[in-house]
Amino acid sequence: MSVKLFFILLGIVVMFRLLGFINRSLKYSPTFKHHSTYLLTILELLLWLGIVIGLVKQYYFSQNIFGLVSLGIVIVIAIIPSFYLLRDFFSGVYLKIQDKVREGSIVEINDLKGKIEKLGNFSLNLIDKHGDIKSIPYHKISATIISKQSNNANLNKVNLKFFFPRAVQTNYIIPKLKVEIINTPWVALSQPVLIENIEHVNDEYFIEVVIYTLQPHFAEDIKNRVDENIKNYY
């Protein structure tokens, strides 16, 4: 029985490794390959869970105390590493379903910016502008803001604050603010102008925007130009 079970488990491992190899080798759209890889991983996980449940049930009803105790010990030993693996696995599933990460994309994750080289089952590899590869577990980024950028890794993210009198309506000034920012010659037009925060302070409020530019020192030029022109609207 144990020899037969061993070959069954070995066959399952070989089968999914072979399916994974075929999936990577076939030439079809990146989106289909992305979802098929995710589906194979889910199916393998569900199959292993089903096998464990089936073994527990079989040993319990056959009153095979030795087998049941042995299986229990194996399960207990596997609980701690399995917890961390499953945490990263399901965090990765969430990120992939939301389409927040994809191979080849240029992203900024916290203070790290670079190109996603590989999406694994439990972590992703990010290549920064120096060519260094950073391996980031999915659970560390599932609750953070991931900023997708263009394929130009040299773009720099800049946060700017613009202050306005409280009497100026936000729904009136925001479209005009975006137009003035886009009209400056230093802003990367490949990226949208994002409104990150609006906060009221005494008799005025500020709008914090996120833009991208080739050089960080362009931020001061952008702000000065926009501050000068936006006054014409109120």
Side-chain angles (χ1 to χ4, degrees):
M1 176 66 182
S2 58
V3 175
K4 182 179 178 181
L5 178 62
F6 170 77
F7 281 106
I8 291 174
L9 298 180
L10 180 62
I12 292 173
V13 172
V14 172
M15 179 184 69
F16 276 99
R17 299 294 80 77
L18 182 61
L19 288 174
F21 174 77
I22 294 173
N23 181 57
R24 291 189 298 272
S25 301
L26 293 177
K27 295 181 179 180
Y28 41 68
S29 69
T31 301
F32 183 82
K33 184 175 291 189
H34 172 78
H35 291 296
S36 61
T37 301
Y38 156 72
L39 181 61
L40 281 175
T41 306
I42 291 291
L43 289 175
E44 184 176 7
L45 176 63
L46 292 176
L47 183 58
W48 284 115
L49 288 176
I51 289 173
V52 171
I53 294 172
L55 288 175
V56 171
K57 182 179 179 181
Q58 179 181 345
Y59 284 134
Y60 178 78
F61 285 109
S62 65
Q63 296 184 350
N64 187 335
I65 303 301
F66 176 77
L68 188 60
V69 171
S70 300
L71 184 61
I73 293 173
V74 172
I75 292 174
V76 170
I77 293 175
I79 282 177
I80 295 178
S82 296
F83 168 76
Y84 292 106
L85 290 176
L86 289 175
R87 178 182 60 177
D88 284 316
F89 174 78
F90 284 113
S91 296
V93 169
Y94 169 77
L95 291 170
K96 293 169 185 176
I97 290 176
Q98 297 295 317
D99 199 27
K100 292 186 176 182
V101 291
R102 180 169 293 185
E103 289 185 3
S105 297
I106 304 297
V107 298
E108 181 175 344
I109 303 172
N110 291 332
D111 295 328
L112 292 174
K113 182 171 74 172
K115 181 179 180 179
I116 297 178
E117 180 198 35
K118 179 182 179 182
L119 292 176
N121 290 329
F122 309 104
S123 64
L124 62 80
N125 288 346
L126 192 72
I127 303 179
D128 63 19
K129 61 182 179 181
H130 303 294
D132 297 327
I133 299 178
K134 310 289 184 182
S135 182
I136 309 174
Y138 288 124
H139 80 272
K140 290 188 177 181
I141 61 177
S142 60
T144 63
I145 295 176
I146 303 175
S147 301
K148 288 189 177 181
Q149 302 176 22
S150 73
N151 290 329
N152 187 349
N154 296 318
L155 290 180
N156 293 275
K157 178 182 176 182
V158 176
N159 287 60
L160 296 176
K161 291 182 180 180
F162 297 93
F163 289 82
F164 300 95
R166 184 180 289 267
V168 178
Q169 298 295 318
T170 56
N171 58 355
Y172 163 77
I173 202 65
I174 286 177
K176 295 173 173 52
L177 176 62
K178 288 184 176 181
V179 169
E180 289 299 329
I181 292 173
I182 292 173
N183 285 338
T184 62
W186 307 283
V187 173
L189 298 179
S190 61
Q191 301 300 302
V193 177
L194 302 177
I195 305 298
E196 188 162 271
N197 186 32
I198 300 176
E199 186 171 330
H200 291 269
V201 181
N202 298 325
D203 294 332
E204 61 181 5
Y205 64 91
F206 69 80
I207 299 175
E208 185 176 2
V209 301
V210 175
I211 61 173
Y212 289 87
T213 181
L214 287 175
Q215 298 295 334
H217 66 263
F218 288 156
E220 184 177 355
D221 296 323
I222 295 170
K223 188 172 188 327
N224 291 338
R225 176 74 65 86
V226 173
D227 279 337
E228 180 181 352
N229 293 338
I230 199 70
K231 294 177 181 178
N232 297 325
Y233 295 101
Y234 61 90

